[in-house]
Amino acid sequence: MLPVLIVLSLAGCDSPGPEFGALPGTRVVVEGSHFAVRRKDGTAQAIRLNAGHRPGTMARGARAIELGTGCRIRPGTLSGDPAVIYARLSCAAP
């Protein structure tokens, strides 16, 4: 039972990589998908917080980045996977 509880507790984990680790996350919900969005200079990261992958998660993550940062994503810069999404931004630095 303990391994199941550990896996379930980590399913909604908001653990950014080292480049975004010290930054607070902005919580954004897009069509039922929950994300923590972080911005550092001209780059952003969206971590999906809810379990389960549905078609369109990357598009919802991209929208979460735009909503959470107030910036547009530069064309061709979206990368990652449905759990952690990265993008370069087109806007002034904060």
Side-chain angles (χ1 to χ4, degrees):
M1 185 68 174
L2 183 59
V4 172
L5 292 175
I6 291 171
V7 169
L8 289 175
S9 68
L10 294 175
C13 188
D14 175 11
S15 300
E19 66 276 16
F20 293 93
L23 303 172
T26 299
R27 302 295 172 114
V28 180
V29 179
V30 177
E31 298 176 22
S33 292
H34 298 247
F35 297 92
V37 176
R38 290 176 173 81
R39 175 182 174 189
K40 182 176 181 184
D41 302 322
T43 304
Q45 174 192 68
I47 297 176
R48 184 174 43 88
L49 301 176
N50 54 327
H53 168 64
R54 302 184 287 143
T57 300
M58 289 293 286
R60 287 188 298 279
R63 183 69 183 133
I65 287 173
E66 291 184 336
L67 291 170
T69 64
C71 302
R72 306 231 350 127
I73 293 175
R74 292 170 65 186
T77 66
L78 193 68
S79 65
D81 58 49
V84 182
I85 302 163
Y86 296 92
R88 301 279 302 152
L89 303 174
S90 179
C91 63

